[in-house]
């Protein structure tokens, strides 16, 4: 059990009694602010699943959002992935699922705040559907600047834990793919209770932890998303909302593509109404079920990971020249936990301009893949580690001179 610190108490019941489920050594770009080791724990009192994080790690996470996270996403050449605040077919599907709920309970004059609006994609989506009292906040200045390119949006720097608007101002608050990022989601509900009008509504979208074991993307993928500090299911979400006087109105479970159809997000959308009647936590079987689901998810992924260990071990023994395309969380994890570090790595490849210009890994610069043309050594191997972009990367790699027999997937 980890010792008590202010940030590591359970966000639902504030208990510091916990069970360690798994530690994952995740790795990073050189000099990254993002903490390297994920410590997944279960609260012994209420069964909530969350990341144990120290004050120093949390401070680094805030710097990461401002100095790496937004810049990497805004620099991406990928225009199809469901990135924060993006506008494409993948995000539109997820937006439409949330908008269907919103349209049931609102009219076009409703004052709406998007908490964590990023580059403003969902606000733009709502604007096109006739809503005009639209406001957004985000902690990252680069996102506010990008969102500001859309006229008629009122945008401010702010956070879910410190919302810079007057009391009783909004009819609706939207917090989509944000609540799981908060170290103290209860503080958001406390803030929301102040700035909402009487009977105001919160619309929440977040990954559904009770379905992690049904949606395999990459080994322990839902935990490699280190920005996600909380792992909610509906029952634990109800508890934290109920603590602050919010009552569930309805919820939906759905799915949508993330970076591609290879990556599916199990999404929980829920609507809460502010009643002011707070509820005390009452332990029941529904709360304890999540721990067993997560333990099953961990066991499944450990078995899959064993096959990767053997595959990379053989690659290291072969000594074949290795190109790696897709330098992100999957690559970092493989490097830290397998024999990949002993492979004959020739180049690290990624199309992201920010990574090419600003990032290194173990002192190695990230190269533009288009610089690698007409591979002469037919023993060379290309490993694609960006799982969500496998099909596109394969097509591009073949154009650059890799044949299919040279390409491996991990």
């Amino acid at each position: 059990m980890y010792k008590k610190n202010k940030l590591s108490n359970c966000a639902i019941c504030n208990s510091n009694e916990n069970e360690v489920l798994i530690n994952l050594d995740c790795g990073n770009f050189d000099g990254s602010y993002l903490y390297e080791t994920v410590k997944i724990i279960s609260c012994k009192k209420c069964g909530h699943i969350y990341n144990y994080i120290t004050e120093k790690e949390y401070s680094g996470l805030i710097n990461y959002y401002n100095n790496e996270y937004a810049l990497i996403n805004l620099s991406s050449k990928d225009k199809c992935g469901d990135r924060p605040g993006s506008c494409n077919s993948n995000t539109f599907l997820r937006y439409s699922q949330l908008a269907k709920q919103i349209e049931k309970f609102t009219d076009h004059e409703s004052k709406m705040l998007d908490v964590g609006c990023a580059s403003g994609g969902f606000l733009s989506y709502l604007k096109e559907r006739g809503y005009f009292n639209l406001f957004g906040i985000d902690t990252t200045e680069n996102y506010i600047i990008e969102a500001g390119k859309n006229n008629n949006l009122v945008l401010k720097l702010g956070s879910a834990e410190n919302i810079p608007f007057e009391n009783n101002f909004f009819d609706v608050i939207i917090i989509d793919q944000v609540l799981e990022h908060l170290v103290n989601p209860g503080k958001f509900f406390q803030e929301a209770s102040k700035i909402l009008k009487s009977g105001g509504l919160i619309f929440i979208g977040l990954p559904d932890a009770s379905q992690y074991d049904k949606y395999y993307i990459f080994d322990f993928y839902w935990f490699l998303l280190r920005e996600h500090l909380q792992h909610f299911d509906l029952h634990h979400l109800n508890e934290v909302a109920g603590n602050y006087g919010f009552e569930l109105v309805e919820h939906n479970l759905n799915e949508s593509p993330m970076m591609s159809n290879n990556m599916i997000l199990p999404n929980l959308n829920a609507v809460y109404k502010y009643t002011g009647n707070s509820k005390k936590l009452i332990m029941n079987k529904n709360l304890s079920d999540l721990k067993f689901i997560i333990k099953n998810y961990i066991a499944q992924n450990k078995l899959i990971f064993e096959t990767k260990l053997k595959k990379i071990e053989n690659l290291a023994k072969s000594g074949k020249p290795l190109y790696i395309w897709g330098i992100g969380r999957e690559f970092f994890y493989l490097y830290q936990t397998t024999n990949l570090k002993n492979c004959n790595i020739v180049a690290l490849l990624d199309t992201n301009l920010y990574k090419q210009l600003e990032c290194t890994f173990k002192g190695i610069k990230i190269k533009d893949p288009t610089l690698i043309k007409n591979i002469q050594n037919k023993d060379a191997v290309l490993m694609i580690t960006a799982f969500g972009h496998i099909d596109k990367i394969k097509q591009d790699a073949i154009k650059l001179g890799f044949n299919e027999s040279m390409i491996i997937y991990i």
Side-chain angles (χ1 to χ4, degrees):
M1 184 183 77
Y2 288 102
K3 294 180 180 179
K4 180 179 180 180
N5 75 56
K6 186 173 68 172
L7 294 180
S8 65
N9 287 8
C10 175
I12 307 295
C13 67
N14 200 40
S15 172
N16 68 312
E17 297 292 318
N18 50 65
E19 175 185 355
V20 181
L21 300 185
I22 193 169
N23 291 329
L24 298 173
D25 189 6
C26 298
N28 265 335
F29 285 118
D30 297 336
S32 175
Y33 293 100
L34 185 60
Y35 65 102
E36 292 204 17
T37 303
V38 172
K39 300 170 277 285
I40 302 297
I41 60 180
S42 172
C43 175
K44 286 187 175 181
K45 181 177 179 182
C46 74
H48 179 51
I49 307 297
Y50 61 104
N51 294 14
Y52 177 95
I53 189 169
T54 66
E55 294 275 0
K56 181 178 179 180
E57 289 171 335
Y58 182 63
S59 177
L61 183 58
I62 298 303
N63 282 325
Y64 166 76
Y65 284 130
N66 289 310
N67 297 296
E68 297 173 59
Y69 180 81
L71 294 173
I72 287 174
N73 279 301
L74 290 172
S75 298
S76 175
K77 292 184 178 180
D78 166 44
K79 303 306 177 187
C80 299
D82 185 2
R83 297 180 183 276
S86 57
C87 295
N88 55 59
S89 59
N90 286 346
T91 47
F92 288 161
L93 175 58
R94 186 168 55 78
Y95 291 164
S96 70
Q97 293 164 349
L98 186 56
K100 283 180 182 178
Q101 282 188 316
I102 291 174
E103 289 166 352
K104 288 171 61 175
F105 298 97
T106 64
D107 57 48
H108 288 166
E109 295 183 355
S110 298
K111 278 188 177 178
M112 298 186 179
L113 173 66
D114 188 356
V115 174
C117 65
S119 49
F122 189 55
L123 288 172
S124 299
Y125 186 89
L126 291 173
K127 180 183 173 184
E128 290 179 0
R129 276 147 187 78
Y131 291 93
F132 57 88
N133 279 324
L134 299 173
F135 302 75
I137 63 170
D138 202 276
T139 60
T140 305
E141 187 173 4
N142 285 300
Y143 275 144
I144 292 295
I145 292 170
E146 186 68 20
K149 296 176 182 178
N150 188 333
N151 294 327
N152 301 320
L153 299 178
V154 180
L155 304 166
K156 294 185 179 184
L157 281 172
S159 70
E161 298 97 333
N162 186 13
I163 301 176
F165 286 96
E166 63 189 71
N167 291 352
N168 305 309
F169 188 75
F170 290 106
D171 302 295
V172 168
I173 295 175
I174 301 157
I175 184 163
D176 183 33
Q177 311 305 313
V178 172
L179 198 68
E180 67 275 13
H181 291 247
L182 305 183
V183 72
N184 185 2
K187 189 68 169 62
F188 159 72
F189 285 101
Q190 189 176 53
E191 286 286 284
S193 69
K194 297 176 184 177
I195 64 170
L196 278 175
K197 297 175 183 178
S198 178
L201 299 172
I202 298 177
F203 293 84
I204 297 173
L206 49 73
D208 182 7
S210 71
Q211 298 188 75
Y212 284 178
D213 60 342
K214 299 174 185 174
Y215 290 82
Y216 175 80
I217 292 177
F218 185 84
D219 308 346
F220 309 108
Y221 182 81
W222 303 112
F223 297 149
L224 297 185
L225 295 166
R226 282 167 275 173
E227 310 93 307
H228 293 189
L229 302 179
Q230 314 294 336
H231 302 278
F232 282 111
D233 63 355
L234 178 65
H235 305 295
H236 290 88
L237 185 59
N238 283 343
E239 291 300 331
V240 70
N243 287 344
Y244 295 90
F246 287 88
E247 182 178 296
L248 181 67
V249 176
E250 73 166 32
H251 78 280
N252 292 311
L253 303 179
N254 48 58
E255 61 180 40
S256 59
M258 297 168 69
M259 295 299 106
S260 69
N261 288 329
N262 295 327
M263 304 175 73
I264 301 299
L265 172 69
N267 203 33
L268 166 62
N269 288 339
V271 186
Y272 290 89
K273 181 177 182 179
Y274 182 61
T275 66
N277 300 319
S278 60
K279 298 179 180 179
K280 292 184 178 180
L281 175 71
I282 300 175
M283 278 302 300
N284 56 60
K285 182 179 180 298
N286 289 332
L287 292 177
S288 61
D289 281 350
L290 183 60
K291 179 176 73 173
F292 297 103
I293 292 171
I294 296 301
K295 283 187 172 182
N296 182 57
Y297 169 71
I298 291 171
Q300 287 177 357
N301 283 261
K302 282 183 176 179
L303 288 174
I304 296 170
F305 180 67
E306 289 297 320
T307 64
K308 290 185 172 60
L309 283 174
K310 295 175 183 177
K311 198 171 185 178
I312 294 175
E313 179 69 30
N314 291 334
L315 186 59
K317 289 178 180 178
S318 75
K320 291 182 177 181
L322 176 63
Y323 296 82
I324 302 177
W325 192 329
I327 310 306
R329 63 186 81 245
E330 298 99 326
F331 164 74
F332 296 141
Y333 177 68
L334 288 172
Y335 192 92
Q336 292 297 113
T337 56
T338 72
N339 209 23
L340 188 58
K341 58 180 67 67
N342 292 319
C343 288
N344 181 18
I345 298 175
V346 176
L348 303 179
L349 310 174
D350 202 291
T351 59
N352 188 289
L353 186 60
Y354 178 83
K355 293 179 184 180
Q356 294 169 17
L357 296 177
E358 303 294 337
C359 300
T360 60
F361 179 78
K362 307 298 181 184
I364 305 171
K365 290 187 175 182
I366 315 302
K367 292 186 177 181
D368 183 340
T370 60
L371 300 177
I372 311 297
K373 295 182 178 179
N374 300 318
I375 307 301
Q376 299 299 315
N377 189 336
K378 298 307 177 183
D379 287 332
V381 175
L382 173 66
M383 178 187 292
I384 300 176
T385 52
F387 186 88
H389 304 288
I390 283 178
D391 295 336
K392 178 66 166 61
I393 292 175
K394 179 182 174 181
Q395 292 173 7
D396 291 344
I398 290 173
K399 291 177 183 177
L400 294 174
F402 291 96
N403 61 56
E404 288 198 41
S405 64
M406 301 165 72
I407 302 173
I408 62 173
Y409 315 102
I410 295 295

